[in-house]
Amino acid sequence: MMPESREEEQAKAEQYRGLLYTTTEETDSLTQQPRLVRTPTPLRQAYDAGKLAYEAAAQRYQALRLDANTTNDPRTVLAFAQNAPLHRQPVQAAMADWLTNGFKNEVEMMEAYIAQVTGSAAASQL
């Protein structure tokens, strides 16, 4: 397979951007001048929601783990040791949901491609 030309790479990156964000022209309410507004597509919104849910679940788990590792209360340590698998389940479920319904791998692949083609480390900000 032949490597993509620069034009093909740019076109593909633009296609990926279009799958992640839409750009519309709106009138600025203060200046009455037209301006471009970038909004996330449903695909990107699903990704962001999945990421937030996963991070919240992971933070709850880490807080419980930190409490168990820094306390002098043996009951807290024992409770976490016995229930750690149960506390991990919401984290694992959130990751599974993010992967399936939040299109985690697909969005990150598109962002990586955009970053590679444009030379930008912040592809999600494009």
Side-chain angles (χ1 to χ4, degrees):
M1 176 178 254
M2 296 282 298
E4 294 177 330
S5 70
R6 185 74 179 144
E7 293 79 22
E8 290 170 329
E9 288 178 340
Q10 291 293 336
K12 191 173 183 179
E14 214 37 59
Q15 176 190 6
Y16 286 167
R17 274 192 202 101
L19 291 171
L20 298 173
Y21 298 96
T22 59
T23 304
T24 56
E25 188 173 299
E26 295 180 0
T27 303
D28 187 294
S29 58
L30 293 175
T31 64
Q32 300 304 310
Q33 297 295 314
R35 66 182 177 124
L36 295 177
V37 177
R38 189 179 73 141
T39 56
T41 63
L43 177 76
R44 182 61 201 217
Q45 290 172 355
Y47 174 88
D48 291 342
K51 181 179 180 181
L52 275 172
Y54 170 75
E55 289 175 347
Q59 285 176 346
R60 285 190 297 274
Y61 174 78
Q62 291 299 341
L64 291 170
R65 187 165 103 24
L66 181 64
D67 289 346
N69 286 322
T70 58
T71 187
N72 291 324
D73 178 16
R75 184 177 166 99
T76 301
V77 174
L78 181 61
F80 182 79
Q82 289 179 336
N83 295 312
L86 295 174
H87 294 308
R88 270 194 302 273
Q89 284 178 351
V91 178
Q92 293 166 337
M95 176 56 82
D97 185 61
W98 186 17
L99 285 166
T100 339
N101 300 316
F103 308 98
K104 179 183 184 301
N105 291 337
E106 294 85 347
V107 169
E108 290 175 358
M109 183 274 308
M110 287 187 275
E111 288 184 336
Y113 186 87
I114 294 167
Q116 176 186 355
V117 169
T118 62
S120 168
S124 63
Q125 301 303 313
L126 299 174

